[in-house]
């Protein structure tokens, strides 16, 4: 399995209940506003969706406080990643990062150049800049998966201006940006100024709905919008995803409570991890997951030991630039995080 | 609008309730077995779907009574049409037919050769055969949209054998095949024998769920399956579509009632249409829609007159080979069909 979130092979299909620390979903769960409006989706089952999805677009505009921007909708952010990456002949991927960037580039015969995060998992802005003229576009996560680091806007400014001046594209994957707790970390406002920016967002993570498959892309660059729309099939969003988007994006209470949770849980969890003897380094995240460098134990061994205790984690060795000394943990609610830390403590005795 | 089913632009957004005779949905509506099991989908919202969708595949095998076949799942049959068409360099499209075949071929730079139905809307088997050596694949509807004609298996046999022998592919779009009321009209059984066959099916029409977006393709040709899967994003089916597929495909009662309805409603509706003075020809359909050739009135005028009465029909002039003297009507329940015939009768006085 190349992704987290597969609780089927080891869990469901063997009748085991596993706690999934491999995928990064808001533990507050599906917003109630979706569940209480689910009948609106049921009512729409028998008709084709609005092929222009005008209501969803309106909700996104309100949610992001944007106007007159182009919006494309995807069956999961996966679709938007694929379609945007496929537009280019040669792309720079900042790695380690979400493996689908690379998979999609290869699928569409897009040449790839890599820019590696340094050993502190910081972005190497100079390296990106030095390679930028060789490619048409960059794709980068903000926060980036698996380390949870964010883009430093000051340091990124030169790259942004270079892209704008030279008609290049910067794809910023902000699937996790809500978890930063600070809307200023997002590039959506900049996207209203810069033609070069294409921002990808998702409902999967923050609104706890990996099952619903809904993501979107925004840019003021109408050429990109048109090129992507030409590649899309009609009615790519189903009626349940449609209602989920419309209802949840305006659910201020859920958003507020989620931000309270992540702020507190992230701090507590990181503190707890400091005490684990086989952790060499905890990379401080701005997202709801944390990258760990292990010592004295491999990712494989830790994975197996934790599985015996009913926890699934994400081994990180298939992220480019990482090896089996890296693993990624989700951040859940304090109660679960405490049990998880306790289990990690228990592992100490076994190595 | 290039498709039927757009009740938004003229209807919903203007506050008008329209009766949609432009899209072809089973009037029995969403199977109750889906609605009563919707909580299973809700339960799955917070987890990623099984990336292999093992339960859906099992349901499809049971439904089609197939074994050891390759299955690919799509976010609507649209996705399966696109991916299968995109595999080839040169394809023959039997037209007039569903416009997405052509759109997807163009999108993927697939060269197109056409084989036209004759003026009775019958398949020109000789023409297909004579052109087959020039292409890698054929795509054809069974029943075909917009005319509702089916493939004559005897006459098709030579084409099938030629394809098998010469390693070509025949894509048969069976999105409407359940409405024929005869499982022998489907090529799913032949697909267990012939490596050249790729069959596309959908839940949209027969199970009345255009909102759910679920289609699939089956073939014993593992190479095709692998090539399509390589092009697909993970988790392309959302949790509601997953439960819909699992529950509805095994709903024998719904299937039985639907077949009773279509058999009777189709006959009655066709009879009613015979009396309309501005209809030159009714092409007898094996599906739940009927292609009409008009006289003394254009499709455009009829569309406008019917819209005033609250009915939306499908003008057929954008189907290749047809002009504005063709329209397509859906077949609904007897009560609605009678009102519709009455409204058509009323139009007679206006021309």
């Amino acid at each position: 399995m190349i992704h987290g979130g597969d609780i089927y092979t080891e869990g469901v299909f063997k009748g085991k209940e596993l706690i999934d620390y491999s995928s990064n979903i808001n533990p507050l769960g599906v917003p109630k506003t979706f569940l209480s409006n689910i009948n609106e989706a049921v009512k729409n089952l028998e008709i084709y969706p609005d092929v222009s999805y005008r209501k969803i677009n309106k909700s996104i505009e309100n949610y992001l406080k944007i106007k007159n921007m182009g919006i494309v909708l995807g069956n999961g952010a996966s679709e938007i990643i694929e379609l945007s990456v496929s537009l280019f002949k040669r792309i720079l991927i900042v790695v380690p990062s979400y493996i689908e960037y690379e998979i999609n580039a290869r699928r569409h015969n897009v040449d790839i150049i890599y820019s590696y995060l340094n050993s502190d998992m910081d972005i190497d802005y100079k390296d990106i800049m030095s390679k930028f003229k060789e490619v048409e576009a960059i794709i980068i996560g903000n926060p980036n998966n698996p380390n949870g680091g964010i883009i430093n806007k000051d340091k990124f400014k030169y790259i942004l201006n270079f892209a704008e001046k030279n008609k290049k594209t910067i794809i910023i994957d902000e699937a996790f940006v809500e978890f930063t707790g600070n809307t200023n970390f997002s590039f959506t406002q900049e996207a209203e100024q810069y033609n070069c920016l294409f921002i990808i967002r998702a409902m999967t993570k923050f609104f706890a709905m990996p099952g619903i498959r809904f993501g979107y892309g925004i840019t003021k660059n109408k050429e990109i919008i048109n090129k992507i729309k030409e590649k899309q099939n009609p009615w790519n969003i189903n009626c349940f995803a449609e209602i989920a988007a419309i209802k949840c994006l305006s659910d201020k209470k859920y958003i507020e409570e989620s931000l309270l949770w992540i702020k507190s849980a992230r701090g507590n969890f990181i503190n707890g991890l400091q005490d684990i003897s086989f952790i060499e380094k905890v990379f401080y995240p701005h997202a709801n997951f944390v990258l760990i460098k292990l010592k004295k134990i491999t990712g494989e061994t830790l994975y197996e030991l934790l599985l015996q205790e009913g926890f699934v984690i994400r081994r990180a060795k298939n992220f480019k630039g990482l090896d089996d000394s890296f693993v990624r943990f989700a951040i859940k609610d304090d109660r679960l995080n405490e049990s998880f830390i306790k289990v990690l403590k228990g592992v100490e005795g076994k190595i």
Side-chain angles (χ1 to χ4, degrees), chain A residues 51-53 57 69-73 79 83 87 217 222-234:
Chain A
V51 81
S52 316
Y53 291 108
N57 289 343
M69 299 279 285
I71 301 174
V72 284
L73 309 181
E79 183 180 341
L83 294 174
L87 299 179
K222 295 289 152 62
E223 202 189 323
I224 292 184
I225 294 290
N226 291 338
K227 280 190 190 163
I228 289 181
K229 285 195 171 165
E230 267 168 36
K231 287 171 179 252
Q232 288 188 301
N233 282 309

Side-chain angles (χ1 to χ4, degrees), chain A residues 45-321:
Chain A
L45 270 167
E46 293 179 32
I47 52 175
Y48 277 88
D50 171 22
V51 81
S52 316
Y53 291 108
R54 284 163 273 202
K55 280 189 183 173
I56 303 185
N57 289 343
K58 193 80 212 142
S59 301
I60 292 172
E61 287 183 352
N62 290 339
Y63 176 61
L64 297 181
K65 301 189 181 66
I66 53 169
K67 254 192 214 165
N68 305 318
M69 299 279 285
I71 301 174
V72 284
L73 309 181
N75 181 33
S78 309
E79 183 180 341
I80 304 297
I81 292 171
E82 169 164 26
L83 294 174
S84 57
V85 165
S86 77
L87 299 179
F88 305 99
K89 296 234 180 307
R90 203 174 169 84
I91 197 166
L92 183 143
I93 304 180
V94 179
V95 286
S97 57
Y98 186 46
I99 201 163
E100 290 289 329
Y101 307 157
E102 190 177 332
I103 290 175
N104 281 298
R106 291 196 192 290
R107 185 186 287 167
H108 292 278
N109 300 314
V110 182
D111 286 341
I112 302 172
I113 292 186
Y114 298 101
S115 176
Y116 285 83
L117 301 180
N118 69 22
S119 62
D120 288 330
M121 297 296 149
D122 285 331
I123 298 166
D124 188 341
Y125 299 91
K126 277 189 191 156
D127 184 59
I128 294 177
M129 200 54 229
S130 75
K131 290 169 175 167
F132 204 171
K133 50 188 165 311
E134 297 172 51
V135 297
E136 293 171 14
I138 295 178
I139 183 163
I140 181 168
N142 182 52
N144 189 55
N145 179 4
N147 59 304
I150 51 164
I151 297 175
N152 179 316
K153 287 195 176 182
D154 270 345
K155 295 185 184 170
F156 201 66
K157 197 143 203 181
Y158 193 67
I159 296 172
L160 199 55
N161 287 327
F162 179 83
E164 191 71 1
K165 205 174 148 192
N166 294 280
K167 297 207 183 320
K168 295 179 184 284
T169 300
I170 300 176
I171 303 170
I172 304 187
D173 179 358
E174 296 195 344
F176 293 100
V177 79
E178 283 94 343
F179 294 109
T180 63
N182 185 341
T183 52
N184 290 326
F185 288 151
S186 165
F187 278 80
T188 44
Q189 297 308 317
E190 281 80 359
E192 291 201 284
Q193 317 298 327
Y194 286 84
N195 221 35
C196 63
L197 281 172
F198 181 82
I199 314 289
I200 299 173
R201 306 283 289 243
M203 288 215 11
T204 302
K205 317 292 183 177
F206 189 70
F207 293 98
M209 290 195 230
I212 206 80
R213 318 306 306 136
F214 181 73
Y216 51 101
I218 65 154
T219 175
K220 66 180 289 221
N221 188 328
K222 295 289 152 62
E223 202 189 323
I224 292 184
I225 294 290
N226 291 338
K227 280 190 190 163
I228 289 181
K229 285 195 171 165
E230 267 168 36
K231 287 171 179 252
Q232 288 188 301
N233 282 309
W235 316 294
N236 62 330
I237 309 299
N238 87 2
C239 55
F240 291 96
E242 187 176 19
I243 294 299
I246 293 168
K247 298 300 173 187
C248 299
L249 292 179
S250 62
D251 188 344
K252 294 213 169 71
K253 191 157 163 278
Y254 181 89
I255 296 170
E256 216 169 273
E257 286 172 4
S258 300
L259 296 181
L260 282 176
W261 151 72
I262 184 64
K263 203 176 157 189
S264 140
R266 182 162 47 206
N268 296 338
F269 191 50
I270 301 289
N271 282 341
L273 292 172
Q274 307 293 349
D275 286 345
I276 306 298
S277 64
F278 56 83
I279 290 183
E280 185 175 317
K281 182 160 184 173
V282 176
F283 296 90
Y284 185 84
H286 288 81
N288 61 331
F289 50 80
V290 50
L291 181 69
I292 302 291
K293 185 160 171 58
L294 302 168
K295 58 185 176 190
K296 294 184 260 172
I297 187 170
T298 62
E300 184 176 11
T301 307
L302 183 62
Y303 178 91
E304 290 301 334
L305 289 172
L306 292 176
L307 195 59
Q308 289 168 21
E309 305 291 331
F311 288 86
V312 184
I313 59 163
R314 175 72 157 85
R315 292 171 64 190
K317 69 174 265 202
N318 74 335
F319 283 98
K320 199 164 202 79

